[in-house]
Amino acid sequence: MSQLLEIQFVSLSAAPTGTLVLLAGQELALGPVARGLDERMKGALSKAARAADFTGKAKAAIEILAPVAIDVPRLLLLGTGKAAKELDRLLLGGFAFAQISARKGDTASIIAEPADLGEASAEVFAADLALGAMLRSYTFKKYRTTRKSEEGAEEEPRDEPRKLVIQCAKPDAAAKAFAARKAVAEGAFLARDLVNEPANMLGPVEFAERMRDLSRTGLEIEVLDEDQLAALKMGALLAVGQGSERPSRVVVMQWHGAKSKRAKTLCFVGKGVCFDTGGISMKPAGGMEDMKGDMGGAACVAGLMLALATRKAAVNAVGLIGLTENMPSGKAQRPGDIVTSMSGQTIEVLNTDAEGRLVLADVLWYAQERFKPRFIVDLATLTGAIIVALGKEYAGLFSNDDRLASELAAAGEATGEKVWRMPLGKAYDKLIDSKNADMKNIGGRHAGAITGAQFVQRFIKDTPWAHLDVAGTAMDSSRSDINPSWASGWGVRLLDRLIADNYEKAEK
Ligand code: BES
Ligand code: MN
Ligand code: ZN
């Protein structure tokens, strides 16, 4: 995995090292440590702030080099704005990391003493700041042998910040609060790494092997090969992979953390198309390279399972991922082929580029048969149509269960990984009826994300279910103060929060 930023929590009175970061709230509200430093500097800090019209707004920053009377090379004063909500604190941490890393030096100390803590305690404020910084510190540079920025420009050789010291009122409590957050960050990093990895390096077999490695965390990992998938009659998933030289795999990852023996399993299913050429219904060349990210749903499920195991979540959860590659070849499936899914339902494949739903069909069926889950959430980079509808701000949410849908919406607002509910219904479902089989795999020009979801729903029994179409959010994602990468790791924080807020306490 990409190297993790080292984060340490110490007391407010400790001597800072490296770049010293101070925070100012609105109207230049400084905490006691910052005020003390300002006094030692004979008011130079507040004077500089006034000279720069710095008022403490979010994302405002000033720098003082070689401050007098303080033994650090530079001082950064960052505005916090209101910083009332959890997400504000994460974004502030991310912004602070970016400000630090834009400057020389490989360590920094942040004085985490906001003038106004909002709803947070001192330790939560510090831990959230740390999580934001960590999320921002992600890089994917393993294949770069020269130092270039993501845009390709030559960079000045410079040390990256490796260590962040967070000075706060309750360092021990903050370190404890951060441990669970760090587990989630590691999950998001795993998801980002998997999505960034090119398809020549990460096919279905390599992806599955990387999942096997996760057993060190206490996850129980099973890898099903093509013989086993054939024995299970996963005809839809296998049809997608039949054109590829590389065999398909299904990985089952189980985490048993619930206190009660009766606790029902939560299921998470991910589309893992390691590369999607479209198959015989081939995609145009322009932008096809992005289809290395067509396993973003599976990557999220992998990251979530890693997070749950690392923070020892009090829940029973299973992650299932369908790994395959959609290639054109003499063995590939053809438009018009009819395949039989594990459920027994037949599918007329009118477009081999609508392959993700074929993968989900079999893995979802298998998940329900084997685990009888309390609910299933599936994630898939399923349709370009969801990007037309929602852009990159929201993932599409489709659900047969209002409670699960509203829990996901709330988790989305809290984490910033937002979902927007879309409709399902009979009239849409009719659009995928077929003359020649039980259904066809495309619905026509209208409502492409919805007909995709309707198709998936045909493989859901009466389990509470939510489908997240993450085509717009998992890859080529919009960058933010906590997401510096093409691969966002979208969904790991969302689903971890869904579980933490609703399913880890006593059975409801
Ligand atoms: N993986 C694509 C969807 C996608 C598109 C993901 C853009 C990320 C960015 C999916 O397999 C696909 O090709 N969907 C088709 C469905 C169509 C043939 C009904 C699409 O969206 O065009
Ligand atoms: Mn496709
Ligand atoms: Zn696809």
Side-chain angles (χ1 to χ4, degrees):
M1 197 197 301
S2 302
Q3 217 197 320
L4 281 185
L5 178 68
E6 185 190 338
I7 296 188
Q8 221 180 21
F9 297 89
V10 304
S11 74
L12 282 170
S13 57
T17 51
T19 295
L20 175 58
V21 179
L22 303 173
L23 304 176
Q26 290 176 312
E27 277 145 59
L28 203 56
L30 297 176
V33 174
R35 277 203 307 274
L37 290 171
D38 190 27
E39 269 163 38
R40 252 161 68 193
M41 294 164 69
K42 302 207 162 58
L45 180 64
S46 38
K47 194 171 168 189
R50 281 193 300 274
D53 275 340
F54 175 98
T55 59
K57 277 198 313 229
K59 301 197 69 145
I62 59 170
E63 177 181 21
I64 297 174
L65 289 171
V68 285
I70 306 172
D71 189 20
V72 293
R74 69 166 52 70
L75 212 154
L76 281 178
L77 182 62
L78 305 184
T80 66
K82 273 208 195 99
K85 295 231 158 68
E86 176 186 352
L87 186 55
D88 299 329
R89 299 190 286 274
L90 261 48
L91 292 168
L92 175 62
F95 176 68
F97 182 85
Q99 288 292 314
I100 292 161
S101 71
R103 294 168 173 90
K104 201 177 139 161
D106 63 3
T107 58
S109 305
I110 303 183
I111 307 287
E113 49 146 17
D116 176 10
L117 279 164
E119 62 192 18
S121 61
E123 62 266 30
V124 162
F125 182 88
D128 283 344
L129 211 65
L131 173 60
M134 181 162 274
L135 289 168
R136 180 59 179 266
S137 73
Y138 176 85
T139 56
F140 183 78
K141 293 185 175 167
K142 63 191 278 201
Y143 298 110
R144 262 163 42 183
T145 61
T146 56
R147 300 180 69 99
K148 293 213 170 99
S149 71
E150 266 210 20
E151 291 73 40
E154 289 291 343
E155 268 173 13
E156 290 284 305
R158 167 165 59 69
D159 301 325
E160 303 216 354
R162 291 191 192 293
K163 185 169 159 192
L164 196 57
V165 179
I166 300 198
Q167 302 193 208
C168 60
K170 294 190 180 143
D172 293 340
K176 222 172 135 204
F178 180 61
R181 288 167 174 76
K182 184 179 172 197
V184 178
E186 286 181 52
F189 276 31
L190 173 62
R192 289 174 179 177
D193 277 352
L194 290 166
V195 172
N196 276 323
E197 198 68 50
N200 62 328
M201 306 306 281
L202 191 83
V205 172
E206 293 79 16
F207 195 136
E209 286 314 309
R210 285 186 65 167
M211 298 303 96
R212 243 194 251 282
D213 295 343
L214 297 181
S215 58
R216 68 185 151 75
T217 64
L219 287 170
E220 202 177 300
I221 309 285
E222 289 161 73
V223 177
L224 307 182
D225 65 20
E226 286 199 336
D227 289 341
Q228 291 165 295
L229 302 180
L232 287 165
K233 298 190 173 355
M234 292 204 188
L237 182 147
L238 286 168
V240 174
Q242 77 187 36
S244 171
E245 293 291 328
R246 305 196 283 185
S248 300
R249 294 283 185 265
V250 167
V251 182
V252 182
M253 296 172 261
Q254 298 190 56
W255 170 247
H256 303 283
K259 304 259 166 8
S260 145
K261 286 225 162 58
R262 303 179 292 116
K264 280 181 102 182
T265 302
L266 315 181
C267 252
F268 299 91
V269 169
K271 167 182 174 181
V273 175
C274 293
F275 196 79
D276 180 13
T277 64
I280 297 299
S281 315
M282 203 189 287
K283 289 182 181 298
M288 201 204 273
E289 65 277 10
D290 281 1
M291 287 303 120
K292 73 173 184 178
D294 208 18
M295 26 56 74
C300 172
V301 170
L304 173 69
M305 295 311 294
L306 173 61
L308 294 177
T310 307
R311 71 173 181 80
K312 306 224 177 308
V315 73
N316 291 341
V318 182
L320 299 104
I321 55 183
L323 300 168
T324 186
E325 178 173 56
N326 190 20
M327 296 289 272
S329 81
K331 290 194 210 144
Q333 65 174 339
R334 294 152 288 260
D337 282 4
I338 295 178
V339 300
T340 304
S341 67
M342 183 182 176
S343 73
Q345 299 178 92
T346 56
I347 303 160
E348 186 179 21
V349 181
L350 290 184
N351 188 319
T352 65
D353 196 12
E355 85 297 340
R357 58 199 74 184
L358 301 177
V359 174
L360 291 178
D362 280 341
V363 182
L364 284 169
W365 193 263
Y366 177 72
Q368 292 165 98
E369 294 258 285
R370 179 164 169 195
F371 295 106
K372 313 268 179 280
R374 179 158 178 199
F375 69 65
I376 295 196
V377 176
D378 80 70
L379 299 100
T381 48
L382 203 70
T383 67
I386 200 65
I387 311 176
V388 176
L390 298 175
K392 303 205 153 270
E393 268 313 284
Y394 287 81
L397 161 65
F398 301 83
S399 183
N400 62 3
D401 188 271
D402 290 344
R403 180 170 137 186
L404 180 57
S406 60
E407 288 167 355
L408 279 163
E413 288 305 319
T415 56
E417 294 183 337
K418 293 181 292 184
V419 297
W420 194 263
R421 193 166 181 185
M422 304 281 286
L424 289 163
K426 276 218 173 73
Y428 293 117
D429 185 67
K430 255 179 45 188
L431 300 175
I432 53 169
D433 283 339
S434 157
K435 283 201 296 284
N436 300 317
D438 296 337
M439 70 195 86
K440 52 190 180 184
N441 76 331
I442 52 171
R445 271 168 39 81
H446 294 169
I450 304 177
T451 51
Q454 292 291 165
F455 182 99
V456 174
Q457 190 175 20
R458 288 197 182 200
F459 299 87
I460 298 296
K461 304 177 181 186
D462 47 15
T463 315
W465 157 78
H467 158 64
L468 297 171
D469 193 334
V470 297
T473 52
M475 60 163 113
D476 190 20
S477 51
S478 54
R479 310 298 202 272
S480 77
D481 272 331
I482 49 174
N483 173 37
S485 183
W486 181 83
S488 58
W490 192 97
V492 174
R493 289 187 303 113
L494 171 79
L495 297 177
D496 180 78
R497 177 55 56 92
L498 170 78
I499 292 169
D501 281 358
N502 303 288
Y503 297 93
E504 282 190 74
K505 298 164 191 145
E507 284 274 311
K508 274 197 246 178

